[in-house]
C-alpha cells in the first residue's frame, strides 16, 4: 500500500505520543482503515535532546523548510505549541497545499482567520480535533454529528489542571496555593501555571468551540476571562452548603442574536452532570434544539489521549474525498456585553441592626432579587460576620453596580461567583 508521507513540527511529549501510536498501532490502522502513514521528517529545536520515545535520528531536522517546503510531504502535524512560529508555519504548509493537523489551540484561536483562509484558498485540509479537550471528540461532534442542530449553549470543563486543583480543594478543604504547589511537584501543573490557572488555555479553546457552535467567528479577545487564583476554601465550602460544586467553566451561549463567551469560576448544582467531572478530566455539555442536552467526557491532555485525536484526524484527512472547512461566516458576531445568571455573593458585613436591610435595599435598587441568604460563623474582632447570598437570575452589571455602591464600613463583597444551572 502506498503510504501517506507525514512531517512533524515539534517532537515533545505529544509528538512522541503520535510517533509511538503510529509505530505501535499503525499496522492495525492500515488493516482497519486501508490507509498507511510514513513519518519522513521531524522539525525539532535540538537534534540531540533525549526524548520520551526512541525516534530515529535520521528523521530529525532543525530546518523548517525540510518539512514545510518538502514536496514529498503530504501532511504536516503541528505540535510545537505557542503562537509563533507555529501559526506562520501552519499557514506556509497550507499555502504549499499540505494538509495541516494541529493540537495548537493558542495558534489557532489567535490566527483563526489567517489559517482558515489559507486552507480555503489552497484547498488544503485543516484538522484540529486535538486542540480542544484532547481525546474528547467534541470538534467532530459539533462540525459533524450535531450539524442538524441550532446549538444554544456549550458549557465545559476544558482545562484539566484547574479541574484537578478545584477537585482537591473541594475534597480536602485545602488552600489554592498548597494544591497548586503539590500539583507542580507531581508534574500535573506547569512550573509557570499562568495559562491554565488564569483561564487563558480555556479561553483559546472556548473561542474555537463557540466559533464552530454558532457559525460565527468569536475572537479570543471577545472571550471574558477570570482564573481561579482568588478562590478560597471558604467559597468552596459555602458553595457546598448550598449544594453547589465549583468548577472553572467555559460558557458560550447564543441568546437573542448575541453571543456570550466567558471563562470563570462557576458554581453548578451538585445534580448537574458537570459537577461530577473530577480530577484532570474534561467534559463539554451541549444543548441543541433537536438533540437536547448531551455531554462529552474524557481525557483532555496527555501524550496518548492527545495523540488519539491527532492520529484520528490524520486518518480522517487521508480518507477525505474533499476536505471540509469550518462552516463559519466571516460576518462579525454580536457579543453580549452583559448576561444574566444566578450570583453567589460572599460579603463581610457589620453585625448590627439595619445592615442586612441596607444590603438587600442596595440589591433591590438595581432590580436584583435575593433567593437565599445565610450568616456564617462568629463575629470577628471588628464586629463583622460573613453573609452569603444567592440571587435569582440577575444581570451581571446590575449585581456589580449594587455591590460597588455599598459602604465598606457596613458591608463589602469578598467574592462574587456566577452559578450556571
Ligand atoms: N494544560 C491543559 C489542561 C492541557 O490542563 O487541560 C492542554 O490544553
Amino acid at each position: 500500500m502506498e503510504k501517506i508521507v507525514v512531517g512533524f513540527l515539534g517532537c515533545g511529549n505529544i509528538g512522541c505520543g503520535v510517533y509511538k501510536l503510529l509505530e505501535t498501532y499503525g499496522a492495525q490502522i492500515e488493516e482497519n482503515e486501508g490507509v498507511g502513514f510514513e513519518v519522513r521528517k521531524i522539525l525539532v529545536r535540538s537534534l540531540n535532546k533525549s526524548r520520551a520515545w526512541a525516534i530515529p535520528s535520521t528523521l530529525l531536522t532543525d530546518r523548517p523548510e525540510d518539512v514545510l517546503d518538502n514536496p514529498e510531504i503530504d501532511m504536516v502535524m503541528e505540535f510545537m505549541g505557542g503562537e509563533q512560529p507555529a501559526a506562520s508555519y501552519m499557514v506556509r504548509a497550507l499555502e504549499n497545499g499540505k494538509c495541516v493537523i494541529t493540537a495548537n489551540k493558542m495558534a489557532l484561536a489567535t490566527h483563526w482567520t489567517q489559517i482558515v483562509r489559507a486552507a480555503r484558498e489552497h484547498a488544503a485540509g485543516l484538522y484540529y480535533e486535538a486542540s480542544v479537550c484532547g481525546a474528547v471528540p467534541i470538534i467532530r461532534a459539533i462540525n459533524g454529528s450535531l450539524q442538524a442542530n441550532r446549538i444554544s449553549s456549550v458549557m465545559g470543563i476544558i482545562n484539566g489542571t484547574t479541574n484537578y486543583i478545584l477537585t482537591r480543594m473541594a475534597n480536602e478543604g485545602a488552600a489554592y496555593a498548597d494544591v497548586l504547589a503539590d500539583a507542580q511537584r507531581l508534574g500535573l501543573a506547569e512550573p509557570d501555571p499562568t495559562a491554565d490557572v488564569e483561564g487563558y488555555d480555556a479561553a483559546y479553546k472556548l473561542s474555537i468551540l463557540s466559533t464552530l457552535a454558532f457559525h460565527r467567528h468569536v475572537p479570543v479577545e471577545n472571550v471574558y476571562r477570570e482564573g481561579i487564583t482568588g478562590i478560597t476554601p471558604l467559597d468552596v465550602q459555602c458553595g457546598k452548603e448550598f449544594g453547589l460544586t465549583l468548577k472553572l467553566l467555559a460558557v458560550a451561549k447564543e441568546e437573542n442574536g448575541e453571543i456570550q463567551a466567558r471563562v470563570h469560576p462557576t458554581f453548578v448544582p451538585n445534580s448537574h452532570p458537570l459537577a461530577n467531572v473530577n480530577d484532570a478530566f474534561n467534559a463539554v455539555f451541549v444543548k441543541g434544539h433537536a438533540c437536547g442536552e448531551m455531554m462529552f467526557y474524557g481525557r483532555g491532555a496527555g501524550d496518548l489521549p492527545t495523540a488519539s485525536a491527532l492520529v484520528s484526524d490524520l486518518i480522517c484527512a487521508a480518507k477525505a474525498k474533499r476536505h471540509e472547512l469550518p462552516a463559519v461566516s466571516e460576518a462579525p458576531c454580536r457579543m453580549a456585553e452583559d448576561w444574566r445568571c444566578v450570583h453567589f455573593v460572599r460579603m463581610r458585613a457589620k453585625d448590627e441592626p439595619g445592615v442586612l436591610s441596607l444590603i438587600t435595599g442596595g440589591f433591590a435598587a438595581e432590580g436584583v432579587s435575593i433567593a437565599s441568604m445565610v450568616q456564617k460563623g462568629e463575629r470577628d474582632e471588628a464586629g463583622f460576620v460573613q453573609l452569603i447570598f444567592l440571587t435569582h437570575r440577575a444581570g451581571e452589571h446590575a449585581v456589580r453596580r449594587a455591590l460597588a455602591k455599598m459602604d465598606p464600613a457596613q458591608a463589602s463583597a469578598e467574592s462574587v461567583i456566577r452559578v450556571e444551572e
Side-chain angles (χ1 to χ4, degrees):
M1 178 190 304
E2 197 174 322
K3 303 221 178 193
I4 288 170
V5 179
V6 179
F8 285 6
L9 299 174
C11 200
N13 279 346
I14 305 299
C16 285
V18 170
Y19 196 91
K20 175 177 170 183
L21 190 54
L22 287 173
E23 194 165 274
T24 55
Y25 198 62
Q28 192 63 51
I29 291 173
E30 258 186 69
E31 192 178 321
N32 295 345
E33 309 290 342
V35 286
F37 303 98
E38 181 205 323
V39 180
R40 183 78 49 93
K41 273 287 166 218
I42 300 180
L43 176 68
V44 291
R45 258 197 297 261
S46 159
L47 295 171
N48 305 316
K49 195 178 129 179
S50 76
R51 297 179 197 281
W53 188 254
I55 310 276
S57 61
T58 49
L59 299 185
L60 303 181
T61 176
D62 54 7
R63 294 159 27 104
E65 57 272 29
D66 289 348
V67 175
L68 300 173
D69 305 326
N70 184 339
E72 295 169 358
I73 288 178
D74 305 306
M75 298 196 181
V76 170
M77 302 187 83
E78 184 274 322
F79 8 77
M80 308 172 73
E83 189 179 335
Q84 292 292 7
S88 314
Y89 286 179
M90 284 194 265
V91 169
R92 185 157 137 200
L94 291 163
E95 286 172 348
N96 285 335
K98 301 184 191 310
C99 179
V100 166
I101 293 143
T102 181
N104 189 333
K105 64 256 153 188
M106 185 186 193
L108 204 52
T110 50
H111 295 267
W112 174 266
T113 306
Q114 198 191 358
I115 293 172
V116 171
R117 199 170 283 162
R120 180 168 296 120
E121 285 171 2
H122 297 272
L126 175 64
Y127 293 79
Y128 43 93
E129 181 66 71
S131 65
V132 180
C133 297
V136 182
I138 185 64
I139 301 283
R140 207 163 297 149
I142 291 180
N143 281 347
S145 314
L146 299 178
Q147 269 166 328
N149 283 269
R150 181 173 57 251
I151 293 178
S152 55
S153 105
V154 177
M155 290 206 301
I157 295 167
I158 58 180
N159 181 271
T161 306
T162 46
N163 204 38
Y164 173 84
I165 293 172
L166 292 175
T167 302
R168 282 197 51 192
M169 286 179 73
N171 291 347
E172 299 164 24
Y176 164 78
D178 295 340
V179 181
L180 171 65
D182 212 27
Q184 286 173 314
R185 254 195 314 278
L186 295 167
L188 295 168
E190 301 280 344
D192 176 359
T194 313
D196 292 317
V197 300
E198 295 291 4
Y200 291 100
D201 174 79
Y204 296 133
K205 294 169 180 169
L206 187 63
S207 161
I208 297 169
L209 280 183
S210 50
T211 293
L212 300 174
F214 305 132
H215 305 285
R216 261 153 313 149
H217 181 212
V218 178
V220 68
E221 307 79 62
N222 289 2
V223 176
Y224 174 86
R225 180 192 51 76
E226 242 177 65
I228 63 164
T229 53
I231 295 297
T232 64
L234 183 58
D235 291 319
V236 177
Q237 179 55 33
C238 292
K240 269 189 186 175
E241 291 169 23
F242 279 101
L244 301 170
T245 302
L246 190 66
K247 298 292 179 189
L248 181 71
L249 229 59
V251 180
K253 294 184 182 177
E254 184 165 31
E255 281 175 4
N256 309 319
E258 288 185 332
I259 293 173
Q260 27 176 302
R262 42 193 170 93
V263 170
H264 48 65
T266 311
F267 279 119
V268 286
N270 292 342
S271 56
H272 194 288
L274 287 170
N276 297 307
V277 174
N278 289 320
D279 303 317
F281 278 89
N282 283 197
V284 183
F285 188 78
V286 180
K287 283 187 199 167
H289 82 289
C291 64
E293 297 178 343
M294 59 205 309
M295 190 162 94
F296 299 82
Y297 170 88
R299 290 183 196 281
D303 54 356
L304 280 180
T306 309
S308 158
L310 285 160
V311 173
S312 148
D313 269 356
L314 197 59
I315 297 167
C316 234
K319 293 173 78 172
K321 294 203 167 54
R322 185 171 67 96
H323 296 299
E324 295 289 341
L325 284 173
V328 174
S329 138
E330 295 224 338
C333 63
R334 269 177 54 213
M335 297 299 299
E337 284 174 8
D338 196 7
W339 52 79
R340 293 175 67 77
C341 61
V342 171
H343 288 75
F344 163 105
V345 182
R346 179 167 61 79
M347 302 193 76
R348 181 169 178 270
K350 200 98 200 198
D351 194 14
E352 276 176 1
V355 171
L356 194 54
S357 105
L358 277 179
I359 298 172
T360 54
F363 279 134
E366 292 293 344
V368 176
S369 170
I370 291 160
S372 57
M373 193 280 288
V374 291
Q375 180 166 326
K376 287 274 304 170
E378 300 297 317
R379 270 181 197 208
D380 65 17
E381 283 171 4
F384 282 79
V385 289
Q386 291 282 321
L387 298 180
I388 322 293
F389 294 87
L390 274 188
T391 70
H392 285 291
R393 276 187 98 222
E396 171 94 8
H397 290 180
V399 172
R400 300 281 168 179
R401 272 196 308 271
L403 294 172
K405 283 187 203 151
M406 286 181 196
D407 172 5
Q410 303 292 326
S412 56
E414 295 201 321
S415 59
V416 181
I417 300 177
R418 292 108 184 152
V419 181
E420 290 291 338
E421 295 161 302

